[in-house]
Amino acid sequence: MTEPAVPDTTRLAAASLAAGDPTGWFEQLYAEAGAGTAHVPWDVPRPSKLLAEWARDAAVTGAGRRALVVGCGLGRDAEFLAGLGFTTTAFDISATAVRTARERHPDSPVEYAVADLLDPPPQWRGGFDLVCESNNVQALPQPVRDRAIAHVGPLVAPGGTLLVLAAAATGTGTAGPPWPLTRAEIDAFAVPGLTPVRVDELVDADDPLIRRWRAEFRAAG
């Protein structure tokens, strides 16, 4: 019997971690995908379902407000938020991902940038009415993950919102990435000045073993 193929994310992350570079595999993945030798599993033509549902249910409008998308990849969530009227900035550590996002959306109003969540531009601090962290931190191992979590909240402007979407840890260990987040890690996004609005652990309708976090935090105004 043929052994199942190792996902490109697992293969590249393992090599990157073994080399002591916990984030280098992102650029390798997007570069190989551009060359046709790897697959980016989150490269889909629609925004995150949990983001779209949240925006719909909360009747979110971005007019006159700024949004930041953390680890934007190829731009699906950033373009969605721009479509809601947000003045949107989106960043990724992978220069190839950012270049590809710009090429795919040549007329987009989104400001795409190459940046590192572990060392974000200081001018972004407190600068965004909505910060969306969707499935990015879950792709980082410890102890880098704790550093990443600590840098997300300070990007939210006074009175602004942080939305965190991530796989939820269920106690069944699997080879990552992703490495699903625990409730304690979700709670850790509430850095001083941020208060939880609601934290939902959602069960996948098709597979009850799959659970996901959708957590909303609000900055003091």
Side-chain angles (χ1 to χ4, degrees):
M1 180 181 295
T2 303
E3 292 292 328
V6 175
D8 294 316
T9 50
T10 301
R11 170 178 61 85
L12 294 171
S16 188
L17 290 172
D21 183 2
T23 61
W25 66 273
F26 292 106
E27 172 59 21
Q28 292 175 305
L29 176 64
Y30 287 111
E32 288 194 17
T37 58
H39 169 64
V40 179
W42 51 85
D43 183 9
V44 295
R46 59 187 181 279
S48 164
K49 178 181 177 182
L50 295 185
L51 171 61
E53 290 177 348
W54 172 80
R56 180 199 65 206
D57 295 344
V60 172
T61 177
R65 304 171 68 202
R66 295 189 65 200
L68 178 70
V69 178
V70 177
C72 65
L74 300 173
R76 59 175 185 155
D77 290 343
E79 296 299 323
F80 173 75
L81 291 177
L84 294 180
F86 286 96
T87 299
T88 304
T89 299
F91 75 94
D92 202 282
I93 196 171
S94 167
T96 298
V98 170
R99 183 177 67 252
T100 303
R102 289 171 177 158
E103 291 171 350
R104 287 190 178 185
H105 311 285
D107 300 317
S108 172
V110 175
E111 179 184 354
Y112 287 103
V114 178
D116 186 352
L117 179 58
L118 301 178
D119 186 23
Q123 65 269 26
W124 286 358
R125 188 178 181 92
F128 299 92
D129 303 292
L130 173 64
V131 174
C132 179
E133 155 48 32
S134 177
N135 307 313
N136 185 62
V137 168
Q138 69 180 33
L140 299 173
Q142 291 290 13
V144 173
R145 175 179 297 189
D146 289 341
R147 290 173 53 201
I149 289 173
H151 281 102
V152 175
L155 301 171
V156 182
T161 296
L162 167 62
L163 182 68
V164 177
L165 308 174
T170 60
T172 56
T174 57
W179 294 279
L181 273 62
T182 65
R183 174 59 190 260
E185 288 173 322
I186 291 294
D187 291 342
F189 281 95
V191 296
L194 284 181
T195 302
V197 175
R198 63 181 299 167
V199 177
D200 296 323
E201 186 176 1
L202 306 171
V203 179
D204 189 277
D206 299 319
D207 187 345
L209 296 179
I210 298 176
R211 295 171 180 266
R212 300 196 57 78
W213 297 113
R214 182 167 57 200
E216 181 180 349
F217 304 86
R218 186 70 44 78

